[in-house]
């Protein structure tokens, strides 16, 4: 299955978690911390979930009922649907059946630990100005360890250069460029930043030489024309 990565702001999004154990509690806690509105369905709940309901009384709703396939069909086909259904029941067949109902009704579904889940979710790292995430499909522990490794590489080797790139993009020096000019210049600057292994000053120098050469040869007009056609 092919996937496309994207990041979502879960603030006030309706998220269903099906199951009442520790894994359901861990997932619910993560969603609640992201300001989601969480409904947990199960016939009984772990102490962790009960404690979460006290901590997040306005965001978390515990529904003590079985989330049958009929219930799944009813809620997923309703006019107001959940944004996503995350199912962590102990019965793999029930999890898969619920996911299929969701998909048939255009509701996102996530079955943790299943490498063919419609949606894959992992804990991402927010390292301003970056959002970073790595997923080893079906292997959450490997995902977490790879994430930690990536975070260290970024923080130790690349973060100063990335922040310098962003600061320069927002500086007075570049404010005179129009949007097409900025796209041309900063695309080159990004390329030079990678080639220089994070040496921002070297990358900036090379990008300016490239841009000045375009201006001197009148090639900038052709580049701008191409860039603006993409923006239209």
């Amino acid at each position: 299955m092919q996937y496309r990565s994207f990041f979502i702001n879960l603030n006030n999004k309706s998220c269903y978690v099906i199951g009442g154990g520790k894994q359901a509690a861990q997932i619910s806690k993560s969603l609640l911390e992201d300001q989601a509105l969480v409904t947990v369905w199960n016939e009984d709940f772990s102490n962790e979930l009960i404690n979460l309901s006290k901590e997040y009384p306005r965001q978390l709703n515990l529904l003590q009922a079985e989330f049958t396939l009929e219930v799944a069909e009813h809620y997923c086909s309703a006019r107001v649907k959940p944004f996503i259904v995350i199912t962590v029941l102990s019965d793999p067949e029930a999890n898969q059946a619920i996911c299929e109902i969701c998909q048939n009704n255009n509701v996102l579904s996530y079955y943790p630990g299943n490498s063919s889940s419609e949606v894959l979710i992992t804990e991402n790292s927010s390292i301003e100005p970056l959002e970073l995430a790595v997923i080893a499909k079906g292997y959450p522990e490997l995902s977490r360890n790879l994430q930690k490794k990536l975070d260290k590489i970024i923080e130790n080797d690349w973060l100063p250069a990335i922040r310098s790139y962003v600061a320069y993009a927002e500086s007075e020096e570049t404010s005179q460029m129009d949007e097409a000019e900025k796209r041309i210049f900063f695309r080159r600057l990004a390329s030079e930043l990678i080639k220089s292994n994070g040496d921002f000053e070297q990358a900036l120098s090379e990008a300016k030489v490239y841009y000045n050469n375009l201006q001197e040869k009148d090639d900038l007009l052709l580049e701008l024309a191409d860039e603006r056609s993409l923006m239209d």
Side-chain angles (χ1 to χ4, degrees):
M1 184 180 292
Q2 294 292 326
Y3 291 92
R4 173 70 61 185
S5 60
F6 58 97
F7 294 91
I8 297 174
N9 184 335
L10 290 175
N11 184 48
N12 286 329
K13 295 286 194 305
S14 174
C15 304
Y16 284 11
V17 178
I18 315 304
K22 289 185 177 181
Q23 188 176 15
Q26 291 171 352
I27 291 171
S28 297
K29 187 175 189 299
S30 178
L31 295 170
L32 292 165
E33 289 173 347
D34 290 334
Q35 308 305 314
L37 302 177
V38 181
T39 300
V40 181
W41 291 74
N42 206 51
E43 293 175 274
D44 51 69
F45 303 107
S46 66
N47 290 332
E48 289 89 346
L49 277 168
I50 293 171
N51 290 334
L52 279 176
S53 68
K54 297 174 183 177
E55 185 178 353
Y56 297 92
R58 296 186 178 182
Q59 288 177 247
L60 176 59
N61 184 24
L62 301 182
L63 282 180
Q64 195 164 11
E66 183 182 1
F67 195 78
T68 63
L69 299 185
E70 291 76 16
V71 171
E73 183 67 44
H74 172 77
Y75 279 94
C76 290
S77 62
R79 187 174 65 86
V80 180
K81 305 177 182 182
F83 175 72
I84 189 170
V85 174
I86 302 171
T87 179
V88 288
L89 297 170
S90 58
D91 182 352
E93 291 184 2
N95 288 328
Q96 190 61 48
I98 290 170
C99 288
E100 289 174 2
I101 290 172
C102 292
Q103 292 171 37
N104 291 338
N105 288 281
N106 296 316
V107 174
L108 295 174
S109 63
Y110 174 43
Y111 177 6
N114 187 327
S115 60
S116 61
S117 174
E118 181 192 23
V119 173
L120 301 177
I121 300 177
T122 189
E123 295 293 332
N124 60 289
S125 299
S126 296
I127 307 174
E128 192 64 33
L130 304 176
E131 295 288 339
L132 303 170
V134 176
I135 296 179
K137 294 186 287 187
Y139 300 98
E141 287 300 327
L142 180 56
S143 297
R144 277 189 282 272
N145 281 280
L146 287 171
Q147 183 72 58
K148 291 177 183 178
K149 181 66 174 178
L150 176 61
D151 291 351
K152 287 182 179 179
I153 292 172
I154 293 294
E155 289 178 339
N156 294 339
D157 300 335
W158 287 93
L159 195 55
I162 292 167
R163 288 180 172 164
S164 295
Y165 179 99
V166 172
Y168 187 72
E170 297 172 352
S171 69
E172 184 68 25
E173 185 175 342
T174 62
S175 64
Q176 304 305 313
M177 295 181 179
D178 67 22
E179 288 305 310
E181 289 175 311
K182 285 182 179 179
R183 285 169 58 133
I184 293 169
F185 180 82
F186 283 99
R187 182 164 55 236
R188 184 67 180 204
L189 179 56
S191 175
E192 294 293 343
L193 194 62
I194 299 302
K195 286 198 289 185
S196 68
N197 287 317
D199 186 330
F200 177 76
E201 293 303 326
Q202 178 183 334
L204 180 60
S205 175
E206 293 293 338
K208 286 182 175 180
V209 168
Y210 167 80
Y211 194 76
N212 290 336
N213 285 340
L214 286 180
Q215 290 177 310
E216 290 173 3
K217 298 176 182 178
D218 291 331
D219 288 345
L220 180 59
L221 294 175
L222 295 175
E223 291 272 358
L224 287 171
D226 289 342
E227 197 64 39
R228 286 171 179 144
S229 69
L230 294 174
M231 295 170 66
D232 291 337

